[in-house]
Amino acid sequence: MELDQLTECYKAMADKTRLNILALLRHEELCVCELVEILKMTQPSISQHLRKLKQARLVKERRSSQWIFYSIDGEIYPFIKANIEALPDLSHKIEELKASGGKVCC
Amino acid sequence: MELDQLTECYKAMADKTRLNILALLRHEELCVCELVEILKMTQPSISQHLRKLKQARLVKERRSSQWIFYSIDGEIYPFIKANIEALPDLSHKIEELKASGGKVCC
DNA sequence: ATTTTATATAAACATATGGTTATATACTAA
DNA sequence: TTAGTATATAACCATATGTTTATATAAAAT
């Protein structure tokens, strides 16, 4: 893997919000508004972080009617994937969202 | 591992020069002036990159008379270490330096 | 002691980055 | 067709980052 491409990957991971997003998507695909709800950040901010992750090919998107669901891109290099799997377990955040009726959607 | 600490690690790796440094140190310890020579960059620039890598605990230093030798920190988290081992092989750069008589030192 | 060599630090500057507010687009529902 | 919902993009701003030049420090050599 080339250094330029690697640098882009690590740049994409070099932000706490984006690591949080990756840590959440590790459990299941989520749409933008769910991430907004969980991370308590504005929608444009989340969208721009997702764009960076997408450009670095760490996540992919899937449109379903009004929503766009993001998930970890399966094509990721194995050692990058290992990094994502080493992120903290945030499944409780998703559980909270479901419990509060905020899931699927919005 | 905490997200803040992880973010610092990835920030440290989110730069092409620093990835080059890590890729070189993967093979053997090097002093600042050797890195300057190999990477064709100014000494203060290299020094500041090394400081970031040191702050993120990716590298450690060892003083030997006038020189300060940098190397990969052995205490690194395993999956971070795997990242460094996945970096391109730059041993030829070190060989070139040795061939040109630029090694140990300066 | 003075000079030289190796490295670190500081100051200054240009560019990159992340957040906010406002607006545009895409789809849904009425 | 119009209104509403979900998301993206643009413009703006404050802060962070990387590079350069200049200077400081530390050890070695003379």
Side-chain angles (χ1 to χ4, degrees), chain B residues 15-56:
Chain B
D15 177 272
K16 194 175 178 182
T17 299
R18 290 195 292 272
L19 284 186
N20 264 309
I21 292 175
L22 291 172
L24 287 163
L25 296 183
R26 176 160 86 87
H27 297 110
E28 62 185 75
E29 67 172 14
L30 293 167
C31 68
V32 180
C33 56
E34 292 170 332
L35 289 167
V36 166
E37 179 71 18
I38 295 174
L39 297 175
K40 312 289 185 207
M41 294 181 64
T42 64
Q43 175 266 313
S45 185
I46 296 292
S47 279
Q48 304 206 47
H49 284 300
L50 285 168
R51 181 166 48 168
K52 288 211 172 182
L53 290 170
K54 197 174 61 176
Q55 280 171 346

Side-chain angles (χ1 to χ4, degrees), chain A:
Chain A
M1 195 172 178
E2 281 305 313
L3 268 189
D4 289 297
Q5 209 178 338
L6 265 179
T7 307
E8 197 188 353
C9 270
Y10 291 131
K11 269 184 198 292
M13 295 196 290
D15 177 273
K16 195 174 179 183
T17 300
R18 290 195 292 272
L19 284 187
N20 265 309
I21 292 175
L22 291 172
L24 287 162
L25 296 184
R26 176 159 86 87
H27 297 111
E28 64 185 76
E29 66 172 15
L30 293 167
C31 68
V32 180
C33 56
E34 291 169 334
L35 290 167
V36 167
E37 178 71 18
I38 294 173
L39 297 174
K40 311 287 183 209
M41 294 181 64
T42 63
Q43 175 266 313
S45 186
I46 296 292
S47 279
Q48 304 203 49
H49 283 301
L50 286 168
R51 181 166 49 168
K52 288 209 173 183
L53 290 170
K54 198 174 59 175
Q55 279 171 346
R57 300 178 155 267
L58 297 182
V59 307
K60 60 184 188 340
E61 63 184 39
R62 174 179 75 84
R63 173 140 230 156
S64 173
S65 77
Q66 314 133 287
W67 299 285
I68 299 180
F69 290 92
Y70 284 85
S71 57
I72 304 297
D73 189 329
E75 308 285 302
I76 274 179
Y77 290 86
F79 64 93
I80 297 287
K81 186 142 199 155
N83 287 344
I84 294 176
E85 275 154 17
L87 291 171
D89 184 329
L90 298 185
S91 51
H92 60 285
K93 294 278 184 188
I94 297 177
E95 294 313 313
E96 285 170 26
L97 182 72
K98 286 175 179 169
S100 71
K103 187 71 175 81
V104 177
C105 200
C106 287

Side-chain angles (χ1 to χ4, degrees), chain B:
Chain B
M1 193 173 181
E2 280 306 312
L3 267 190
D4 289 298
Q5 209 178 338
L6 266 179
T7 307
E8 197 188 353
C9 270
Y10 291 130
K11 269 183 199 291
M13 294 196 290
D15 177 272
K16 194 175 178 182
T17 299
R18 290 195 292 272
L19 284 186
N20 264 309
I21 292 175
L22 291 172
L24 287 163
L25 296 183
R26 176 160 86 87
H27 297 110
E28 62 185 75
E29 67 172 14
L30 293 167
C31 68
V32 180
C33 56
E34 292 170 332
L35 289 167
V36 166
E37 179 71 18
I38 295 174
L39 297 175
K40 312 289 185 207
M41 294 181 64
T42 64
Q43 175 266 313
S45 185
I46 296 292
S47 279
Q48 304 206 47
H49 284 300
L50 285 168
R51 181 166 48 168
K52 288 211 172 182
L53 290 170
K54 197 174 61 176
Q55 280 171 346
R57 300 178 157 267
L58 297 181
V59 307
K60 60 186 190 336
E61 64 184 41
R62 173 180 76 82
R63 172 141 230 156
S64 172
S65 77
Q66 313 134 286
W67 299 286
I68 299 178
F69 290 92
Y70 284 87
S71 57
I72 304 297
D73 189 329
E75 308 284 301
I76 275 178
Y77 291 86
F79 64 95
I80 297 286
K81 187 143 198 151
N83 288 345
I84 293 176
E85 277 154 15
L87 291 171
D89 185 329
L90 298 186
S91 51
H92 62 284
K93 294 278 185 189
I94 298 177
E95 294 314 312
E96 285 170 24
L97 182 73
K98 285 175 180 169
S100 71
K103 188 70 176 79
V104 176
C105 198
C106 289

